[in-house]
Amino acid sequence: MSTSITRRTAAALGVTAALFLAACGNPSDGGTTEVAATSGSKTKINVSPDQDRITTDKVNSIAAELPERIRKRGTLEIVDSSGSAAPLTFYATDNKTVIGVEPDIASLVADVLGLEPHINTVSWENIFVGLDSAKYDVGFSNITVTEERKEKYDFAPYREDNLGFEAKQGSGLKITGPKDVAGRTVAVGSGTNQEKLLIEWSKENEKAGRKPVNIKYYQNESDTYLALQSGRIDLYLGPNPTAAYHAATTGKTEVVGTYSGAGTTLQGLIAATTKKDSGLVEPLAAALNEIIDNGTYDKVLKRWGLSGEAVTKSEVNPPGLPRTNK
């Protein structure tokens, strides 16, 4: 797929993704949530602990590419964020079973590699600590490809990355660029590419003689949304699928702007992330391309209402968010 994209096109893609995620709770069934499918019909999302995940067959030629230590161990140690962020990774109705598009795709990759998927949930910063120490093999946690991260990690992309600015319903805000957040109070996750972009927008505002962004950080999603509803912050910048899902299911917020996760001129990509030179990125990319080709990948994205974020190929270490967003 082409990774070049204009800001306007990135915004259009983000809006499209938000439309795919128009959702409503089903009062007659606490185990499902409805989302709008690309065809205009509605798809029911299973949010119960009984997931009945989509599976696929082992491909011996791809499994043979695995490092011997992983092949002998028989498990794929997957690391994911412990924060609840539907429909990416979140907890089922039992409040303990990890579900979402990320664990579904990770499980399919493990199937192709002939490994048992073992999902470990940790805080965001400990994802990278665990990858660095080889405690975990691969991160499936909405991790954006960035040029800075390439110094330490290898990437095999599996989704487009679009960011969303979320505001209180009826805010009247519209975010299209740095000037629209000048002087605004905006929450963002620490150590994320969203934070990097927001900091650069703030610097750009100061250079242009505008007010900087007042950036805020909260420990968890519930605190962030409480601050948004109470007016302590104007906006929350996070993954667009999460923002759109939250806005549609609660009716209390709205997505008021979108942006590519890789900046102004590049379509951002979310990738399976592994320690650099671990020998795992090539079989990961091959496994992802296998599920793209055999159709199970499309089924998973459709299941979570994220068909608009599909990629056509997993390319090892593609261009990512530049060091400076110029």
Side-chain angles (χ1 to χ4, degrees), residues 13-40:
L13 282 172
V15 170
T16 301
L19 292 174
F20 291 156
L21 284 163
C24 60
N26 185 343
S28 64
D29 186 352
T32 63
T33 294
E34 285 188 340
V35 296
T38 54
S39 63

Side-chain angles (χ1 to χ4, degrees), residues 122-176:
V122 300
S123 61
W124 172 257
E125 64 275 9
N126 280 320
I127 291 173
F128 301 97
V129 172
L131 290 173
D132 292 346
S133 66
K135 182 177 182 179
Y136 311 120
D137 300 320
V138 57
F140 279 86
S141 190
N142 204 60
I143 302 171
T144 301
V145 181
T146 76
E147 293 304 311
E148 184 176 0
R149 287 174 181 162
K150 281 184 185 178
E151 291 183 358
K152 297 177 68 175
Y153 308 102
D154 286 323
F155 296 96
Y158 58 89
R159 276 195 302 107
E160 288 188 351
D161 176 30
N162 294 302
L163 311 180
F165 285 91
E166 194 173 359
K168 190 174 180 179
Q169 182 72 35
S171 68
L173 295 175
K174 185 177 181 181
I175 309 301
T176 60

Side-chain angles (χ1 to χ4, degrees), residues 80-209:
D80 200 350
S81 175
S82 56
S84 189
L88 304 177
T89 301
F90 62 113
Y91 293 101
T93 50
D94 64 354
N95 291 319
K96 63 181 181 180
T97 303
V98 178
I99 63 174
V101 70
E102 305 280 33
D104 272 13
I105 291 176
S107 295
L108 278 178
V109 167
D111 285 347
V112 174
L113 298 175
L115 300 172
E116 185 69 26
H118 183 205
I119 297 175
N120 305 270
T121 55
V122 300
S123 61
W124 172 257
E125 64 275 9
N126 280 320
I127 291 173
F128 301 97
V129 172
L131 290 173
D132 292 346
S133 66
K135 182 177 182 179
Y136 311 120
D137 300 320
V138 57
F140 279 86
S141 190
N142 204 60
I143 302 171
T144 301
V145 181
T146 76
E147 293 304 311
E148 184 176 0
R149 287 174 181 162
K150 281 184 185 178
E151 291 183 358
K152 297 177 68 175
Y153 308 102
D154 286 323
F155 296 96
Y158 58 89
R159 276 195 302 107
E160 288 188 351
D161 176 30
N162 294 302
L163 311 180
F165 285 91
E166 194 173 359
K168 190 174 180 179
Q169 182 72 35
S171 68
L173 295 175
K174 185 177 181 181
I175 309 301
T176 60
K179 70 180 187 309
D180 299 317
V181 293
R184 297 285 182 188
T185 303
V186 186
V188 73
S190 178
T192 62
N193 67 311
Q194 297 99 286
E195 179 194 31
K196 185 176 188 294
L197 285 166
L198 195 60
I199 288 171
E200 290 184 3
W201 276 22
S202 186
K203 290 177 180 177
E204 188 176 329
N205 280 330
E206 289 188 275
K207 286 180 182 178

Side-chain angles (χ1 to χ4, degrees), residues 12 148 266 286 306 322:
E148 184 176 0
L266 195 67
L306 291 173

Side-chain angles (χ1 to χ4, degrees), residues 233-252:
I233 60 175
D234 300 307
L235 296 157
Y236 171 42
L237 176 59
N240 188 56
T242 302
Y245 188 98
H246 178 265
T249 53
T250 66
K252 295 180 179 180

Side-chain angles (χ1 to χ4, degrees), residues 8 26 35 56 63 137 141 161 167 173 192 222 224 263 278 292-293 326:
R8 180 175 296 177
N26 185 343
V35 296
T56 193
D137 300 320
S141 190
D161 176 30
L173 295 175
T192 62
S222 59
T224 303
S278 67
I292 289 170
D293 291 343
K326 301 293 185 184

Side-chain angles (χ1 to χ4, degrees), residues 219-298:
Q219 287 294 104
N220 54 58
E221 189 181 66
S222 59
D223 289 343
T224 303
Y225 284 123
L226 184 61
L228 193 61
Q229 287 302 312
S230 67
R232 295 199 304 274
I233 60 175
D234 300 307
L235 296 157
Y236 171 42
L237 176 59
N240 188 56
T242 302
Y245 188 98
H246 178 265
T249 53
T250 66
K252 295 180 179 180
T253 62
E254 59 184 345
V255 177
V256 295
T258 56
Y259 200 77
S260 166
T264 5
T265 59
L266 195 67
Q267 172 59 57
L269 294 170
I270 299 298
T273 305
T274 186
K275 187 175 181 180
K276 195 166 189 66
D277 300 324
S278 67
L280 191 53
V281 72
E282 293 290 351
L284 284 171
L288 285 163
N289 284 321
E290 169 64 21
I291 64 173
I292 289 170
D293 291 343
N294 71 22
T296 52
Y297 168 79
D298 284 340

